[in-house]
Amino acid sequence: MAKMNLLQAINNALITAMTDDERVMVFGEDVGHFGGVFRATSNLQEKFGRGRCFNTPLTEQGIIGFANGLASQGSVPVAEIQFGDYIFPAFDQIVNETAKWRYRSGGQFSCGTLTIRTPYGGGIAGGHYHSQSPEAYFAHTPGLKIVIPRNPYQAKGLLLASIRDDNPVLFMEPKRLYRASVGEVPEEDYELPLGKAEVVSEGSDITLLAWGAQMEIIEKAAEMAQNDGISCEIIDLRSILPWDVETVCASVMKTGRLLINHEAPLTGGFASEVAATVQERCFLHLESPITRVCGLDTPYPLAHEKEYMPDHLKTYEAIKRCVNF
């Protein structure tokens, strides 16, 4: 085991994957000698050469179009989009080509070896073009997988599983945890399952569900609720697509209550999909309405970042409302 932050765990996963399989290549804006804007790809070019880690022009649709071609011809591309906010020029490539290439070719071709890495989320005073959480846009796309880690251990295991999965994966990294989240990570190769949530701690009164950086928020709120005698079950969804309906519903049937927290705006956020599915499957077990604690329906505001964020205090108040309904 070695102590790593989230960035170091991602870098270690990329080194592991590139060492294990010479078809793996990493590319994107500034990922080469510079090591990426956050240094997630540090030293990869020195270790593996310019043919396997290289810079691209500043064109997101070009990066993903190029990656689609590589994947369909047998390479294992790991494409970096420098910020999740700038993934939208590549939206057509991801939604209409990456996700559909296997289907439209009748299984003759596939982009299944493609992994797209991108940092997402706020909390770094990045303003409205460096703080967005766009996971829900892509969750509406059959043919993709969407994975979001909460800490360094999860990041390495989930990224290695994503690179080796036979489906294209959008791997979204919570950038405010890049250096803030530190933990013990195995130095050897390991994978964690995609599409499987994790019950982080068990409880009896309410289920709290989140992913990525919001996990530490709901954990802090759960500590506050514990002081009021409220027992919270905490679940990390980990995969947005496909998401683990069985684990979440089993928990809600036990606790009778559900609170979902995400940083993206409330309207049309992925919490809506979870809430609709859970009420359909668990309706007779619910003791109170399903609660969503999410970002505001505004562009991400630099001056009012604290007011925008669905923090532990908003979550704690929502837990109390839900339990006392």
Side-chain angles (χ1 to χ4, degrees), residues 51-71:
R52 294 183 64 197
C53 179
F54 50 88
N55 296 336
T56 65
L58 274 64
T59 167
E60 287 79 14
Q61 61 267 56
I63 292 169
I64 303 303
F66 177 63
N68 285 339
L70 279 171

Side-chain angles (χ1 to χ4, degrees), residues 94-270:
I94 296 169
V95 171
N96 276 334
E97 306 299 341
T98 308
K100 296 178 173 65
W101 193 232
R102 180 185 285 139
Y103 176 81
R104 70 182 291 208
S105 70
Q108 295 180 79
F109 302 100
S110 170
C111 295
T113 57
L114 171 58
T115 303
I116 302 166
R117 290 181 45 250
T118 192
Y120 82 97
I124 63 159
H128 59 295
Y129 284 141
H130 296 82
S131 304
Q132 295 175 69
S133 300
E135 66 269 15
Y137 291 104
F138 296 98
H140 199 60
T141 309
L144 285 181
K145 290 189 177 183
I146 305 170
V147 178
I148 306 179
R150 73 174 185 273
N151 62 29
Y153 174 79
Q154 297 286 323
K156 180 177 176 179
L158 290 170
L159 182 53
L160 282 168
S162 297
I163 291 169
R164 293 160 178 167
D165 194 83
D166 192 29
N167 297 278
V169 180
L170 177 58
F171 191 85
M172 301 179 68
E173 302 163 4
K175 72 172 89 72
R176 84 167 180 262
L177 299 187
Y178 266 157
R179 291 182 174 84
S181 181
V182 179
E184 294 290 323
V185 179
E187 293 183 306
E188 70 268 15
D189 193 333
Y190 68 96
E191 297 179 26
L192 295 173
L194 305 186
K196 184 69 180 166
E198 182 182 13
V199 179
V200 176
S201 65
E202 294 195 0
S204 57
D205 297 326
I206 184 171
T207 300
L208 309 182
L209 178 70
W211 48 87
Q214 291 306 102
M215 285 303 298
E216 65 176 11
I217 299 299
I218 64 170
E219 287 172 345
K220 196 180 290 188
E223 282 182 30
M224 295 174 69
Q226 187 70 49
N227 293 330
D228 293 338
I230 299 171
S231 172
C232 300
E233 182 142 301
I234 299 173
I235 299 179
D236 177 6
L237 195 58
R238 297 199 294 190
S239 289
I240 300 295
L241 198 67
W243 69 281
D244 188 352
V245 178
E246 285 69 29
T247 295
V248 175
C249 286
S251 175
V252 174
M253 286 178 185
K254 181 176 76 170
T255 65
R257 300 175 182 89
L258 175 63
L259 181 151
I260 311 155
N261 179 307
H262 65 59
E263 201 179 302
L266 177 74
T267 301
F270 196 69

Side-chain angles (χ1 to χ4, degrees), residues 27-84:
F27 51 89
E29 297 166 8
D30 304 316
V31 304
H33 177 72
F34 187 60
V37 69
F38 294 105
R39 305 298 186 271
T41 56
S42 290
N43 301 314
L44 295 187
Q45 192 172 85
E46 287 81 354
K47 281 180 181 290
F48 300 103
R50 291 171 176 264
R52 294 183 64 197
C53 179
F54 50 88
N55 296 336
T56 65
L58 274 64
T59 167
E60 287 79 14
Q61 61 267 56
I63 292 169
I64 303 303
F66 177 63
N68 285 339
L70 279 171
S72 68
Q73 296 301 311
S75 293
V76 183
V78 182
E80 179 181 301
I81 301 295
Q82 196 168 81
F83 285 89

